[in-house]
């Protein structure tokens, strides 16, 4: 049933985009569907269109960064996410995604710092706690890592 619901929703989004190609909200939904079906190039196209339609809004730039991460283009992800954070320095989602991009590009200490900054604002953030826990576990700091897995 879930798979059928997904196809129906995707069909509605695609039909909506055919009728209203300049609707940022529909491009945002299409972005999410593309990520779910492991289509980073489609996700990137919809995320970039959302940025165009929303005049470079922080959330749209964050989605572009996510799409670049999914496509394995970490340098471009970092660039998009840094633009988002330049507009809104405390944007938690952008910070977390920038941490992921740093991590994927071998910059683990920078990633850990960003994850910790997210936790300063939102101590119960599950994804940031898990990311910090994983980084600390890799460094052999098992007791400290366990605290983040329990949070």
């Amino acid at each position: 049933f879930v798979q059928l619901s997904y196809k129906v929703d995707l069909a509605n989004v695609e039909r909506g985009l055919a009728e209203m190609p300049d609707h940022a909200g529909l491009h945002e939904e299409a972005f999410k569907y593309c990520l779910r079906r492991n289509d980073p190039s489609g996700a990137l196209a919809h995320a970039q269109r959302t940025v165009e339609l929303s005049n470079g809004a922080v959330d749209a730039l964050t989605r572009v960064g996510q799409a670049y991460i999914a496509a394995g283009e970490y340098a471009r992800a970092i660039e998009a996410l840094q633009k988002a954070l330049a507009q809104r320095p405390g944007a938690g989602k952008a910070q977390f995604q920038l941490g992921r991009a740093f991590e994927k590009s071998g910059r683990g200490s920078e990633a850990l710092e960003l994850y910790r900054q997210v936790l300063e604002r939102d101590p119960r953030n599950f994804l940031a706690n898990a990311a910090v826990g994983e980084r600390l576990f890799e460094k052999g700091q098992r007791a400290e890592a366990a605290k983040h897995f329990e949070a």
Side-chain angles (χ1 to χ4, degrees), residues 61-62 65-66 68-70 73-85 89-119 121 125 127-132 134-135 138:
L61 286 167
T62 300
Q66 282 182 273
Y68 277 131
I69 291 169
E73 296 185 43
Y74 308 123
R76 294 178 94 179
I78 290 168
E79 183 182 328
L81 293 161
Q82 287 175 330
K83 283 181 185 176
L85 288 168
K93 279 187 178 182
Q95 264 184 323
F96 180 79
Q97 293 300 327
L98 181 57
R100 285 187 59 224
F102 279 152
E103 187 177 332
K104 299 270 187 184
S105 62
R107 296 162 66 178
S109 60
E110 290 170 277
L112 181 58
E113 180 57 32
L114 284 165
Y115 297 146
R116 285 185 165 151
Q117 288 175 18
V118 171
L119 290 176
R121 284 183 206 70
N125 184 303
L127 294 174
N129 270 301
V132 169
E134 288 173 8
R135 299 298 71 70
E138 289 170 357

Side-chain angles (χ1 to χ4, degrees), residues 1-17 25-34 36-37:
F1 174 75
V2 172
Q3 185 70 17
L4 177 63
S5 173
Y6 166 77
K7 287 182 179 179
V8 169
D9 289 342
L10 179 57
N12 287 337
V13 169
E14 289 173 342
R15 191 169 32 259
L17 281 171
L26 289 172
H27 282 284
E28 182 176 337
E29 289 303 313
F31 159 80
K32 292 175 190 176
Y33 285 120
C34 288
R36 281 189 213 138
R37 67 178 185 219

